[in-house]
Amino acid sequence: MRSAASALDFAPRRLGRIVSCDGGLIGVSGLDAPIGTLCRAEAAPGHEAPAAEVIGFRGGLSLMMLLGDTVRLQPGALVRAEGHPGIVRVGEDFLGRAVDALGRPIDGLAPLKASQEWPLDGVREMTLDRASVIEPFDCGIRAINALATLGVGQRVGIIAGSGVGKSTLLDMVLRGSECDIVVVGLIGERAREVSDFIGRHMRGERRRRTVLVAVPSDHAANLRLRGAQFATSLAEYYRAQGKRVLLVLDSLTRVAHAARELALSLGETGAWRGYPPSSLAVLTKLIERAGNSHRSGGSITGIYSVLADGDDQTDPVVDTARAILDGHIVLSREIARRGRYPAFDMPASLSRVMADLVDPDHRRNADALRALIAAHESNRDLLMMGAYRAGSDPLLDRALALQGPIEAFLSQEQFDRISLGESVATMAGIMETTDAAP
């Protein structure tokens, strides 16, 4: 991508005027700025000029979504365009820093002087430029490593309802994963979680390879969407340098909510449970930007949290994410209530690339262990009532005999890291015990 340094531009700049304001959506006349352009309105002396982004046009007006509040916004105020539409600054300077959706520091440190530019909506690669997922990705979590093995360049979702442990699981992935650079997007989450994340992960050696893009839930919808796109742009830039990047986006559902809010404000009709088609298409475009690159040899392994509203696994965002992702890890509220963490629902979880990554023994043991887990879970009510008679189902008998080791295998302390090799060996030990049982 081109350098941000360029010759000074002394050409006259066109200004527009605010003629309407409907919530956070303003109409500006006389300024024909492309969609994606950042603009700024004039403000009263002593006040910061309100910023807005062009998101559409209608009836000769440019439609802009404010990036802040409408307080002190005046009719007839002049509006000017700033910067290059759809272009963001990227670079090595972002490593070790926490920034907002516009790339401005939020960590109280020195201003950033990034020298490179990158398209906000990504660099579209030819289909055959994408390399296959052929190498295992060690995430440091035993159950995932063994039963839903991930790959370098895979896109996987962590699906759960609220309060079931998505954030804790993401913390475990961030601590346990092997990669060159970590880019984290906290989109639409609580502001407290941002400072907590910085305290947990932006320290010591890990800080120098971590970038945090944070847009809390009280920010404008276009800022939340822009934050997810900006985090992905940073990951793409590092991949183009040949780096192995781990991109963690929490959460994909909040991105869909932001896209829905923008689409509805532009007059698009809500379709599937109130989601306009364009709001779900945003997720597909965002996820497809991750993966491996033939050209640079770099990779983006994408981990996306997906909030199942009301624990509904048929929620439009959950369904869309499951269809486009290369795998999903499901967390169960029922299992969390039993006190087992992480609350993996392994029969419902899947890694679509696992078969290409593991050897036959690993796959055979994983299939057998998943069958034991599924047999126990599907007959749990029968067992709780005491209605099952031993010997009726050999598979369930084996699952009951090994329930203790299986539960210990699926659970893991928050700060433990268990390598891929150790995870596979432990699983093999459990299955050998099963095979030796009478």
Side-chain angles (χ1 to χ4, degrees):
M1 292 292 104
R2 62 184 178 181
S3 170
S6 59
L8 294 176
D9 182 7
F10 295 102
R13 293 185 179 275
R14 194 166 187 174
L15 300 177
R17 286 190 181 276
I18 296 177
V19 297
S20 67
C21 178
D22 183 7
L25 186 68
I26 61 175
V28 176
S29 65
L31 184 61
D32 300 330
I35 291 177
T37 303
L38 292 178
C39 301
R40 199 167 290 276
E42 69 177 3
H47 296 286
E48 184 180 0
E53 179 183 4
V54 180
I55 61 172
F57 43 83
R58 183 188 305 128
L61 298 180
S62 292
L63 303 179
M64 303 183 186
M65 180 67 72
L66 284 173
L67 302 183
D69 297 326
T70 58
V71 178
R72 293 188 297 274
L73 194 67
Q74 297 178 338
L78 293 175
V79 179
R80 68 180 186 275
E82 294 185 338
H84 302 289
I87 298 294
V88 292
R89 299 281 185 92
V90 296
E92 304 298 324
D93 288 350
F94 282 94
L95 294 175
R97 303 299 301 272
V99 298
D100 63 11
L102 300 176
R104 301 175 301 193
I106 60 173
D107 51 13
L109 302 179
L112 288 160
K113 298 179 180 179
S115 59
Q116 302 295 317
E117 294 183 342
W118 198 268
L120 183 62
D121 58 355
V123 177
R124 186 179 295 275
E125 295 183 335
M126 299 294 291
T127 303
L128 296 182
D129 286 341
R130 289 297 178 88
S132 300
V133 179
I134 58 174
E135 183 179 347
F137 178 80
D138 189 347
C139 67
I141 301 175
R142 179 170 48 216
I144 297 177
N145 278 340
L147 296 175
T149 310
L150 306 182
V152 175
Q154 184 176 359
R155 296 84 52 86
V156 62
I158 296 176
I159 302 173
S162 58
V164 183
K166 293 187 305 300
S167 297
T168 301
L169 182 58
L170 289 176
D171 277 353
M172 295 174 69
V173 171
L174 288 169
R175 275 191 292 267
S177 298
E178 296 180 354
C179 58
D180 298 325
I181 291 176
V182 177
V183 179
V184 180
L186 297 182
I187 311 300
E189 300 300 319
R190 294 178 288 272
R192 172 188 58 79
E193 293 183 343
V194 178
S195 57
D196 289 348
F197 180 91
I198 292 175
R200 292 194 306 270
H201 297 284
M202 304 287 284
R203 295 184 299 179
E205 180 63 29
R206 283 189 298 171
R207 177 175 190 144
R208 286 193 284 272
R209 64 184 182 96
T210 303
V211 184
L212 171 63
V213 179
V215 189
S217 57
D218 60 342
H219 285 53
N222 50 337
L223 274 179
R224 282 176 269 143
L225 177 57
R226 191 181 183 91
Q229 294 171 326
F230 182 45
T232 308
S233 293
L234 285 168
E236 285 180 319
Y237 168 76
Y238 296 127
R239 177 180 63 186
Q241 314 307 310
K243 303 294 186 181
R244 290 190 173 190
V245 183
L246 172 63
L247 172 63
V248 174
L249 196 60
D250 185 17
S251 76
L252 204 62
T253 304
R254 305 303 184 196
V255 176
H257 290 175
R260 177 178 62 184
E261 188 174 334
L262 290 175
L264 292 175
S265 67
L266 287 172
E268 191 173 343
T269 303
W272 190 8
R273 298 194 189 178
Y275 284 92
S278 66
S279 63
L280 298 178
V282 165
L283 303 184
T284 302
K285 295 177 182 177
L286 198 63
I287 292 169
E288 276 298 313
R289 294 168 64 180
N292 295 325
S293 172
H294 265 307
R295 186 176 305 174
S296 69
S299 65
I300 299 175
T301 303
I303 309 291
Y304 305 88
S305 74
V306 184
L307 175 64
D309 288 329
D311 292 335
D312 183 5
Q313 295 295 317
T314 64
D315 178 82
V317 178
V318 175
D319 254 2
T320 301
R322 189 186 286 117
I324 193 65
L325 290 167
D326 301 319
H328 49 271
I329 306 299
V330 179
L331 302 182
S332 165
R333 190 177 301 277
E334 174 67 26
I335 293 174
R337 286 172 179 159
R338 300 178 208 160
R340 192 188 84 201
Y341 291 98
F344 294 124
D345 183 352
M346 293 314 302
S349 302
L350 173 70
S351 172
R352 289 178 174 155
V353 302
M354 179 176 175
D356 300 323
L357 303 176
V358 302
D359 59 55
D361 287 339
H362 179 173
R363 183 177 181 181
R364 186 163 45 250
N365 286 334
D367 288 344
L369 183 52
R370 289 171 70 97
L372 293 176
I373 297 169
H376 187 271
E377 289 296 325
S378 61
N379 290 280
R380 184 172 179 81
D381 290 342
L382 194 66
L383 295 169
M384 294 296 291
M385 292 187 296
Y388 176 72
R389 185 173 61 186
S392 301
D393 183 347
L395 182 63
L396 183 55
D397 289 340
R398 289 197 294 272
L400 290 172
L402 288 171
Q403 191 56 25
I406 291 175
E407 286 289 312
F409 179 83
L410 295 176
S411 62
Q412 184 172 328
E413 292 295 327
Q414 183 176 349
F415 295 96
D416 289 348
R417 184 191 185 281
I418 301 172
S419 69
L420 176 61
E422 185 180 350
S423 303
V424 174
T426 303
M427 177 177 64
I430 293 174
M431 300 318 297
E432 288 172 2
T433 303
T434 303
D435 294 339

